[in-house]
Amino acid sequence: MAVRAVRGAVQLDRDEAGHMDEQVGALLTAILERNGLTPDDLISIWFTATPDLHSDFPAAAARKLGIVDVPLICAQELDIEGAMPRVVRVLAHIESDRPRAEIAHVYLGAAAALRKDIAQ
């Protein structure tokens, strides 16, 4: 079993805790489903949020999905002029037999514009 990394992002419509839970939950669910993963395959997850998001920790959505024994951490994205607002990004470390080229990175909604080269 190899250690792999999966990227993903979602842009929120508004800075509200319930909306963040819904959107980050959808992102994590899509990452798991598209890569044939279960929470047992997760090693750790890094979340970042743009500086305009204050309502909650993105990691709280993972806990609500039942991802309770995986190390999670949240950080703030760099405040770059012109960057897409209200974005939560994910970097998940996983155990998988899939080759690196077959890992499905997930960019939902408008966040697909962030990585058109790998968004699926």
Side-chain angles (χ1 to χ4, degrees):
M1 191 80 58
V3 174
R4 300 283 185 232
V6 183
R7 289 291 318 268
V10 65
Q11 183 183 40
L12 306 185
D13 296 328
R14 58 194 175 278
D15 183 23
E16 294 175 2
H19 181 61
M20 182 180 290
D21 283 346
E22 176 184 297
Q23 295 300 305
V24 173
L27 175 61
L28 292 171
T29 298
I31 287 171
L32 292 173
E33 288 176 356
R34 293 182 193 181
N35 288 287
L37 301 170
T38 69
D40 286 340
D41 299 316
L42 297 169
I43 296 169
S44 64
I45 306 174
W46 282 77
F47 296 89
T48 64
T50 51
D52 51 2
L53 294 175
H54 309 272
S55 62
D56 204 357
F57 295 100
R63 298 295 186 220
K64 290 176 183 171
L65 283 178
I67 300 172
V68 295
D69 61 351
V70 174
L72 310 174
I73 192 165
C74 297
Q76 188 176 77
E77 278 289 327
L78 294 173
D79 191 9
I80 304 297
E81 188 174 328
M84 184 180 285
R86 300 177 317 281
V87 175
V88 174
R89 290 174 174 84
V90 171
L91 175 63
H93 299 97
I94 63 169
E95 291 181 318
S96 176
D97 287 328
R98 288 182 183 219
R100 186 176 291 137
E102 292 180 16
I103 297 296
H105 304 283
V106 179
Y107 290 77
L108 299 179
L114 295 170
R115 289 298 306 264
K116 292 179 183 177
D117 58 324
I118 63 172
Q120 301 175 3

